[in-house]
Amino acid sequence: MAATPRRKYDIIVFGATGYTGKLTSQAVLEFTPSTLTWAIAGRSPQKLELLAHEYNRLHPDRKPVEIFISDLSEFSVEKLAGATRLLISTVGPFIKYGTPVIEACAVYGTHYVDSTGEFPWVYEMIKRCHKTAQKRGAILVPQCGGFESAPIDLGTYALVKTIRDELGEATGDVRFALHDVRGSVSHGTFETSMTVFDTATLQELHEATQPYALSPVKGIDQPTQYPMRRDPDLGILTSWANDTADRSQVFRSWGLIDGGAFYGRNFVWKEYMRVSNWISAVFWMIVLNLGVVLLILGPFRWIIRKMNRVAPGEGPSEESRRNHYVEWRGVAEVDDDSENPRKAHVNVRFDGDPYELTGRMMVVIAMAILFDPNTLARKLGGGLLTPACLATPQLFRELDRAGLKIETKLL
């Protein structure tokens, strides 16, 4: 991988005055060394100055955070990318605003992390940026959000590695479930979900939702699976909205890591939501499928926007975040022909708000890109990669320190 040119900053947080941007900056202050050279970036000098003054007042032992004024013009974005070793972007919707930013990072050899869950956009950025990033030595890791898709990607990797290390076998069937969650959405998340349907064509959505759309190699045909099921290890399961986005990243990891051989040639993956009874399972399945159909319709999106009461820049309050949490559970089976294959179980839990987890995950992943020489991402030399390409014992220790618990065991 080409050496990153000497830059003024180690990290710049772009979109630092927004809801997720502020939480990301807090994570930088809490989970990085005090010697880190960093800046917060955005359009408003006044807002940035106020934030920087507050951060420096509360953390006098750290190198002072600086400000960097930037909009989304070509000149500003290129200047931004050229000023830092790594850029963390929280400026979404990414399908609307993110392309010039990630393209500039690829061209300038600047590492990049973001909070998008917009897999149709990631699908396009792989085609536009992956080869350039490889040539310039830039490690680009989108989809590092705390709700989609990094925890699932790393949880799946942990399952696969447990089976490899403990049993010396490939992985076959994997089932994941959102086990429990308490939280609410920000304006940015709401607007992103609307904008994806505003911008992407039905053909683009269809292409991006294919299991191997983001993977560099194609695997076996994924079997058709029931939208509801009773799983002996996970309980009653029903359709889940994040399944497609999370699956896209999991299968990209599958293909990037040894061309699918490490995970297994017969690797099968599906994500659900756990519910307490069959009535709830049927209800949520209908709501999810009906919601997707209605979101395709422009007039329906207009009505939903009018009904939204979350203002721009707002999200769950600090008080409400104290009671929020999210937990996933997953089970993987060994790929063999026995009637009762050996299994591994993973529990992925964060006792806090998913938006706080987003900020922390992006920062921990950013630090791994910059300072961990033992990642697969380093060996690959750059490109548009996934969190699993950064999975090392050190990464899991840092995530644990940041509050994300990923625990595996054999069943």
Side-chain angles (χ1 to χ4, degrees), residues 187-198:
H187 176 85
T189 299
F190 170 82
E191 186 58 31
T192 291
S193 64
M194 298 294 108
T195 304
V196 168
F197 286 92
D198 288 340

Side-chain angles (χ1 to χ4, degrees), residues 281-295:
V282 173
F283 172 79
W284 283 111
M285 182 193 69
I286 293 172
V287 167
L288 175 64
N289 287 280
L290 182 61
V292 170
V293 172
L294 290 175
L295 283 174

Side-chain angles (χ1 to χ4, degrees), residues 123-179:
Y123 173 65
E124 289 299 320
M125 292 307 100
I126 291 170
K127 293 186 285 186
R128 295 175 65 157
C129 299
H130 179 66
K131 290 183 179 180
T132 301
Q134 281 183 314
K135 292 177 183 177
R136 301 301 177 93
I139 297 171
L140 314 177
V141 187
Q143 287 184 270
C144 291
F147 204 57
E148 55 181 21
S149 302
I152 299 296
D153 186 42
L154 290 168
T156 300
Y157 175 88
L159 279 173
V160 170
K161 193 167 192 321
T162 296
I163 288 176
R164 280 291 182 191
D165 291 350
E166 301 294 330
L167 303 176
E169 300 285 352
T171 299
D173 184 53
V174 178
R175 288 100 60 196
F176 249 91
L178 176 67
H179 182 76

Side-chain angles (χ1 to χ4, degrees), residues 267-398:
F267 183 76
V268 174
W269 194 92
K270 177 69 175 174
E271 184 181 9
Y272 299 89
M273 177 174 66
R274 184 190 68 91
V275 292
S276 58
N277 55 63
W278 287 110
I279 294 176
S280 295
V282 173
F283 172 79
W284 283 111
M285 182 193 69
I286 293 172
V287 167
L288 175 64
N289 287 280
L290 182 61
V292 170
V293 172
L294 290 175
L295 283 174
I296 294 173
L297 306 176
F300 180 77
R301 295 195 299 274
W302 181 85
I303 293 171
I304 292 297
R305 280 188 167 107
K306 289 295 183 182
M307 295 172 60
N308 177 43
R309 292 293 179 265
V310 183
E314 291 187 359
S317 67
E318 184 176 356
E319 182 179 357
S320 67
R321 291 201 304 266
R322 295 193 188 102
N323 299 314
H324 290 175
Y325 57 84
V326 59
E327 179 179 352
W328 299 267
R329 295 181 182 179
V331 172
E333 296 180 356
V334 169
D335 180 23
D336 64 27
D337 296 326
S338 65
E339 291 186 6
N340 296 296
R342 294 292 304 274
K343 299 177 183 178
H345 179 275
V346 68
N347 192 80
V348 182
R349 183 177 176 92
F350 180 71
D351 287 313
D353 188 79
Y355 289 103
E356 292 176 328
L357 178 58
T358 292
R360 296 183 187 191
M361 289 211 72
M362 288 196 293
V363 169
V364 170
I365 288 169
M367 294 298 288
I369 293 172
L370 289 175
F371 299 113
D372 190 341
N374 300 313
T375 65
L376 174 64
R378 286 281 186 101
K379 296 173 185 175
L380 291 173
L384 199 150
L385 307 177
T386 65
C389 294
L390 296 155
T392 63
Q394 178 65 22
L395 179 73
F396 284 103
R397 284 192 294 269
E398 292 300 321

